């Protein structure tokens, strides 16, 4: 019977995942016990956002091996759509966690749709050309948001 071996990179990934889960549990317990100051609790939201952004960029660059410079554009599309959905559902869904979940789902679906639309014409590009197109998309989204 052959032994199941875990590669070193997979082992490192599992250790990282375990560390993130353990940190989340510890911070949640500290916050629920009231041992976390308000200023630190307020910093958790941007910290979690930056972690999600870093993981998504790691997925594209580290796993797929493609250089994408337009991540901020796709995240902005999803965030903007999620905020619009949350504000539109404020009267119909009174529970904040449910409204957050729905807004996140709507934002993710819309960002995926825009990513699909952008991905169709640039599907064959790789390397520097993909980076240039995604950089241009990020700049277009920035200008559109500044215009509004």
């Amino acid at each position: 019977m052959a032994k199941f071996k875990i590669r070193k990179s997979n082992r490192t990934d599992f250790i990282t995942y375990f560390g993130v889960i353990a940190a989340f549990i510890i911070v949640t317990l500290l916050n629920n016990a009231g041992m976390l100051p308000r200023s630190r609790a307020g910093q958790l939201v941007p910290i979690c956002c930056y972690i999600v952004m870093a993981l998504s960029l790691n997925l594209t660059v580290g796993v797929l091996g493609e250089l994408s410079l337009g991540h901020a554009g796709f995240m902005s599309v999803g965030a903007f759509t999620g905020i619009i959905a949350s504000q539109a559902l404020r009267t119909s869904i009174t529970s904040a966690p449910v409204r957050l979940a729905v807004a996140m789902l709507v934002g993710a679906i819309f960002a995926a749709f825009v990513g699909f639309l952008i991905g169709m014409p640039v599907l064959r590009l790789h390397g520097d050309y993909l980076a240039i197109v995604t950089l241009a998309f990020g700049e277009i989204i920035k200008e559109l948001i500044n215009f509004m």
Side-chain angles (χ1 to χ4, degrees):
M1 181 186 241
K3 281 185 143 180
F4 180 71
K5 290 187 178 183
I6 296 177
R7 291 189 308 219
K8 185 176 181 180
S9 62
N10 288 345
R11 185 176 28 187
T12 305
D13 290 343
F14 287 133
I15 291 170
T16 303
Y17 300 149
F18 178 73
V20 169
I21 291 169
F24 174 76
I25 291 171
I26 290 169
V27 170
T28 302
L29 291 174
L30 287 175
N31 193 24
N32 289 341
M35 298 173 66
L36 201 59
R38 251 178 104 77
S39 61
R40 298 282 185 245
Q43 291 174 347
L44 289 177
V45 172
I47 288 170
C48 290
C49 290
Y50 295 144
I51 288 171
V52 169
M53 290 180 215
L55 287 174
S56 68
L57 190 59
N58 183 39
L59 179 66
T60 302
V61 177
V63 176
L64 298 177
E66 294 293 336
L67 180 60
S68 173
L69 301 174
H71 259 64
F74 293 108
M75 287 183 275
S76 298
V77 167
F80 187 75
T81 308
I83 289 170
I84 297 296
S86 176
Q87 293 300 316
L89 296 172
R90 188 172 21 173
T91 56
S92 52
I93 300 177
T94 57
S95 174
V98 173
R99 192 170 60 239
L100 174 66
V102 171
M104 286 176 62
L105 184 64
V106 169
I109 289 171
F110 197 77
F113 177 70
V114 171
F116 179 75
L117 288 179
I118 297 298
M120 289 302 291
V122 297
L123 195 59
R124 297 181 188 157
L125 298 178
H126 297 286
D128 294 341
Y129 299 109
L130 178 67
I132 291 169
V133 171
T134 57
L135 177 64
F137 173 72
E139 291 298 316
I140 290 169
I141 294 299
K142 183 182 85 168
E143 291 300 320
L144 283 175
I145 290 176
N146 287 337
F147 179 72
M148 292 179 179

